[in-house]
Amino acid sequence: MPSPTGYSRLQIRLHWIIAALIILQYLLHEPIVAAWELLEEGGTVDFSPLIASHVFGGLLVLVLALWRLVVRMQRGAPVPPEEEHPALKMAATVTHWSFYALMIVMPITGALAWFGRVDAAAGVHSALRILLLALFLIHVVAALYHQFVLKTNVMMRMKQPEA
């Protein structure tokens, strides 16, 4: 299957919806941590829309990430610019597949922690949160570097669908 030169409308929408959900997960971090600590102390947690939003937002990230992977396997994804250094191409590949791994593993560990009360899963979930944030920052810096230094215009692929 030949690689497309851009992303489809569905791929772009999934990218931005997942990005917004992940940002929301970070904003909803404190309420879920407070609830987890209360559970750890033997307390009970009353229903909270903020906690529910974090839990179900995470599960939605998982579902959408899996959907995004299916679409990618069926349609493909554009290759890095031909003139790009091989090290940058490898870094992009590692970063993108690491994102997919985290978008799958984090909701699973979060669900195991929340619904199964698995302490180890909570620890893994918390540690991966830092890795995801670092990856996000690298991704943003790399996109800006491509746009303003290399002038490859790869950011347009995530704004405008391929015809």
Side-chain angles (χ1 to χ4, degrees), residues 95-159:
T95 299
H96 283 103
W97 287 108
S98 296
F99 267 125
Y100 283 114
L102 289 171
M103 290 185 294
I104 293 168
V105 173
M106 286 194 71
I108 291 171
T109 57
L112 284 171
W114 188 252
F115 296 112
R117 305 292 187 258
V118 179
D119 285 333
V124 170
H125 186 76
S126 182
L128 292 178
R129 179 177 157 265
I130 305 303
L131 182 58
L132 181 61
L133 182 59
L135 217 52
F136 171 79
L137 294 173
I138 290 168
H139 186 64
V140 169
V141 168
L144 294 172
Y145 179 74
H146 270 274
Q147 185 69 28
F148 298 111
V149 177
L150 299 179
K151 300 186 187 313
T152 58
N153 207 23
V154 295
M155 284 177 53
M156 188 54 70
R157 298 188 310 194
M158 211 28 91
K159 292 180 186 177

Side-chain angles (χ1 to χ4, degrees), residues 77-99:
V79 296
E82 195 172 304
E83 67 276 8
E84 189 170 280
H85 190 277
L88 290 178
K89 289 180 184 181
M90 177 59 75
T93 299
V94 168
T95 299
H96 283 103
W97 287 108
S98 296
F99 267 125

